[in-house]
Amino acid sequence: MILERATSDYLDSLRRPADPLLVEMESYAADNDVPIAPRETARLLGMLARAGGARLVLEVGLAIGYSALHIARALPEYGKVVSLERDMQMAAVAKTYLARDPAGAKVEVLLGDAHDTLPGLRETFDMIFIDADKSGYPGYLDLALDRLRKRGLIVIDNLLMDGDVATGRGDRHWPQASVDTALSLNRRLATDPALDYVLLPLGDGVGIVQRRGQ
Ligand SMILES: C[S@@+](CC[C@H](N)C(=O)[O-])C[C@H]1O[C@@H](n2cnc3c(N)ncnc32)[C@H](O)[C@@H]1O
């Protein structure tokens, strides 16, 4: 947790209830230790997609389809989320959930290691959400910058890692290697003159990246 308890409880008190399908997905994730995005992060993704008029979105890390469904619901009827996932079982669970929502048809699951599948994608995306193996983040970011449309957004989750990134010390949950990757990525994003970067203390730390001067 990044925020102190009172603030976190207060924010929780403002949360609107999610619909039954999302609640079921949250319960499945909690019961099966699937690290889905916090609800507010997922809602932010939907809001950013809608505000930016996104039509084609790339997600690196589908899990059970929770964030993908939030994004898909925010897209127009002809919109699409291409989501990369290497775990076949996880993708199968995602597909059963996505099949239960009309927006789920907008999610196209690309099975395989994103290190192999992402470089093969030739489309230009309106928004890209990076939420998979932390060691892959620097490489995903480079490819994402290459595939992002003008004024598009890249959103990156877990850049504060329960506060470990601020102290620079990993614990049992966040290995030191992941913390080090986040530290160097945040430094790079915050200092690159070609990029605008905002790191929100929301959920587990949500980075939003946009190219400058477009
Ligand atoms: C944090 S979860 C994604 C959560 C999802 N975005 C959500 O919020 O609902 C990360 C997912 O990325 C997948 N993953 C990790 N490394 C990957 C890789 N190299 N290629 C493809 N998928 C990967 C994992 O199997 C896991 O399902």
Side-chain angles (χ1 to χ4, degrees):
M1 184 187 298
I2 302 166
L3 299 175
E4 38 130 351
R5 170 65 64 187
T7 303
S8 165
D9 287 348
Y10 172 66
L11 293 178
D12 275 349
S13 76
L14 294 177
R15 291 199 328 178
R16 252 183 293 166
D19 62 73
L21 178 59
L22 293 178
V23 170
E24 199 181 317
M25 292 170 94
E26 289 166 3
S27 302
Y28 179 93
D31 293 346
N32 294 279
D33 284 329
V34 180
I36 60 170
R39 191 187 294 176
E40 297 305 296
T41 303
R43 289 185 55 220
L44 175 70
L45 285 163
M47 215 184 254
L48 291 174
R50 199 179 294 110
R55 284 178 291 183
L56 184 58
V57 177
L58 173 65
E59 175 179 71
V60 188
L62 168 77
I64 61 167
Y66 182 75
S67 51
L69 183 55
H70 278 81
I71 299 167
R73 285 176 171 179
L75 302 186
E77 213 177 312
Y78 50 86
K80 188 165 81 168
V81 183
V82 178
S83 187
L84 314 184
E85 177 57 60
R86 69 177 169 197
D87 183 327
M88 285 178 70
Q89 259 178 307
M90 197 76 88
V93 175
K95 283 179 184 173
T96 64
Y97 281 126
L98 292 169
R100 291 169 52 191
D101 190 280
K106 294 181 225 163
V107 182
E108 181 185 306
V109 179
L110 198 49
L111 268 178
D113 193 313
H115 296 279
D116 302 324
T117 52
L118 207 170
L121 297 176
R122 290 285 161 252
E123 295 101 321
T124 298
F125 294 92
D126 301 308
M127 188 172 109
I128 299 176
F129 178 43
I130 300 176
D131 190 23
D133 53 315
K134 308 311 160 203
S135 59
Y137 272 25
Y140 297 145
L141 175 68
D142 287 336
L143 286 164
L145 284 167
D146 204 49
R147 305 289 190 279
L148 188 69
R149 78 142 151 86
K150 276 186 182 177
R151 299 185 189 174
L153 294 178
I154 298 173
V155 182
I156 311 174
D157 200 13
N158 307 110
L159 287 179
L160 290 174
M161 299 181 173
D162 294 310
D164 285 4
V165 175
T167 63
R169 285 189 308 277
D171 61 13
R172 269 174 304 168
H173 181 60
W174 289 110
Q176 191 60 45
S178 298
V179 171
D180 290 342
T181 299
L183 278 167
S184 83
L185 206 63
N186 283 330
R187 202 175 310 114
R188 169 183 166 191
L189 289 167
T191 55
D192 187 333
L195 302 176
D196 257 333
Y197 182 50
V198 178
L199 176 50
L200 300 176
L202 174 75
D204 204 21
V206 180
I208 304 181
V209 185
Q210 191 176 45
R211 268 211 201 79
R212 276 176 190 244
Q214 293 184 333

